Amino acid sequence: MGARMKSGMKYFDYSLVAVIVFLICFGLVMLYSASAYSAEVNYSGDSMHYFKRQLFFCIVGGAGAYVVSLWDYHRVAKHAKKIFFFSVFLMALVKTPLGVEVNGATRWIALPFGQQLQPAEVTKIAVIVFVPVVICQMGKEIRTLAGVIRAISWGLLAAGCVYFLTENLSTAVIVLGITCMMVFIVHPKTAPFIALVVLGIIALVVGATILGSMIQAGDLGDNFRLRRIIVWLDPEKHASDYGYQVVQGLYAIGSGGFFGKGLGNSTQKRLIPEVQNDMILSVICEELGVFGAIMVLVLFGLLLYRLMVIAQNAPDMYGALIASGIFSHIALQVFLNVAVVINLIPNTGITLPFISYGGTSLLFLMLEMGVALGISRKIKMQ
């Protein structure tokens, strides 16, 4: 059951803790395997550079998750709106001299001791804790069109700030997706949401058709997002420039077979740029094969299942919606990362949760897990 149910003992989802520990340990092993070569080249022979930094954030994040799990999550509701606007303020700092450019994108702000913070990660948590407050305050009004628009408008505001202040379209999509999924969960009707999904698919098909015509006519500007779409449509044609990362990642997946070449035996990790970030799944596929990738997805499936159990058994609507928001975040991010690696969608720069390199992402993911565990402590066994 993932919990101790003896008399006098509180509920606590130990199964969720176990899955998180497995994911983090596996992530550290694969991160070292994927990044050792590039770290040795770029950091004066220190092959463990990325590993040590990630381990540090694992320890800090684990401590933070434990502390947060002891809090009463209802206290967060009182400050949720402040957290929301504070995240907007942090994103606005990206446009100031504090903004830091990494690999051509300015999405970070400088911190003391040479550290950096990606404010968009704070926005994800802000939306997860604030939009449920809005929904709970509306009560039955959320069932009306006006209520739906009011709830989603907060997600649109956050997504708009992410896009315009940090120029991060993929994270903006995740932020809006989290909001829409929480509204979908509480809304009694599914037909309007299905209609929106169908309209979205039609819009994508029409957009792809128009883009194809523009490509044939050569009517394209110097836009990196359009370049990503062009690469997605025909990666091999651009294998020597913009499509290099995608093509090398696909080579890694194809060469791994079902059981892979063995841990540490990847050759493509020497060629794939920034392989320790959003393309780390390609190294997993090369070294551990399709079997290894399936095991990773099974772990994420177990993580999502435990979050769903917490959401279903939460003592109130606010707790259920927070757990559902965390569920939505993980599910969307895993889906987008896998889809990018296999070239199902254009490159978005979305990392694989708990496994890809990234201190800010890992730290806030751990805090989210702490909130989920805090909700599980309030579950009453019958």
Side-chain angles (χ1 to χ4, degrees), residues 233-249:
L233 293 173
D234 192 359
E236 292 186 351
K237 184 178 179 181
H238 305 274
S240 61
D241 43 50
Y242 301 119
Y244 182 79
Q245 184 187 47
V246 174
V247 171
Q248 295 300 325

Side-chain angles (χ1 to χ4, degrees), residues 71-87:
W71 293 355
D72 183 349
Y73 65 91
H74 296 98
R75 296 181 182 177
V76 179
K78 300 177 182 178
H79 306 285
K81 194 169 187 178
K82 296 177 184 177
I83 295 172
F84 181 89
F85 284 107
F86 179 67
S87 71

Side-chain angles (χ1 to χ4, degrees), residues 27-290:
L28 286 171
V29 171
M30 292 311 306
L31 176 66
Y32 177 70
S33 178
S35 67
Y37 174 77
S38 59
E40 187 170 2
V41 171
N42 297 324
Y43 294 95
S44 304
D46 185 8
S47 62
M48 299 187 70
H49 173 81
Y50 295 111
F51 175 85
K52 289 186 292 186
R53 285 181 58 85
Q54 191 82 340
L55 179 61
F56 170 77
F57 282 106
C58 285
I59 295 171
V60 174
Y66 174 73
V67 172
V68 170
S69 72
L70 299 176
W71 293 355
D72 183 349
Y73 65 91
H74 296 98
R75 296 181 182 177
V76 179
K78 300 177 182 178
H79 306 285
K81 194 169 187 178
K82 296 177 184 177
I83 295 172
F84 181 89
F85 284 107
F86 179 67
S87 71
V88 174
F89 169 73
L90 287 177
M91 287 189 291
L93 291 179
V94 172
K95 295 297 185 181
T96 69
L98 288 175
V100 177
E101 182 179 325
V102 178
N103 296 326
T106 307
R107 298 171 180 172
W108 292 261
I109 55 176
L111 296 178
F113 308 108
Q115 300 300 311
Q116 299 170 3
L117 173 69
Q118 191 171 5
E121 297 296 331
V122 183
T123 306
K124 293 176 186 176
I125 289 188
V127 167
I128 288 171
V129 299
F130 176 60
V131 171
V133 172
V134 175
I135 293 174
C136 291
Q137 288 177 343
M138 284 193 290
K140 293 183 178 180
E141 185 186 349
I142 190 62
R143 301 179 181 179
T144 65
L145 178 60
V148 170
I149 293 174
R150 179 183 165 190
I152 292 181
S153 64
W154 285 103
L156 279 170
L157 173 61
C161 290
V162 170
Y163 178 69
F164 290 107
L165 294 177
T166 69
E167 300 180 2
N168 193 336
L169 177 61
S170 52
T171 300
V173 170
I174 289 177
V175 167
L176 183 58
I178 292 170
T179 305
C180 291
M181 290 184 75
M182 286 192 287
V183 174
F184 171 76
I185 288 169
V186 297
H187 201 276
K189 297 180 180 179
T190 58
F193 294 92
I194 295 174
L196 284 174
V197 171
V198 172
L199 288 173
I201 293 173
I202 293 173
L204 285 174
V205 172
V206 172
T209 304
I210 295 173
L211 182 61
S213 301
M214 292 173 65
I215 292 172
Q216 290 180 355
D219 185 22
L220 289 171
D222 187 23
N223 186 296
F224 77 94
R225 290 193 178 90
L226 289 179
R227 287 202 302 265
R228 285 180 175 181
I229 295 174
I230 294 169
V231 167
W232 168 61
L233 293 173
D234 192 359
E236 292 186 351
K237 184 178 179 181
H238 305 274
S240 61
D241 43 50
Y242 301 119
Y244 182 79
Q245 184 187 47
V246 174
V247 171
Q248 295 300 325
L250 291 174
Y251 286 161
I253 295 171
S255 64
F258 190 78
F259 289 108
K261 298 177 178 178
L263 186 64
N265 292 330
S266 168
T267 55
Q268 293 300 118
K269 65 187 177 186
R270 298 170 179 260
L271 302 174
I272 303 173
E274 302 294 328
V275 68
Q276 71 275 3
N277 295 328
D278 49 315
M279 296 298 289
I280 196 169
L281 184 63
S282 62
V283 176
I284 294 174
C285 289
E286 184 180 6
E287 296 188 351
L288 305 180
V290 175

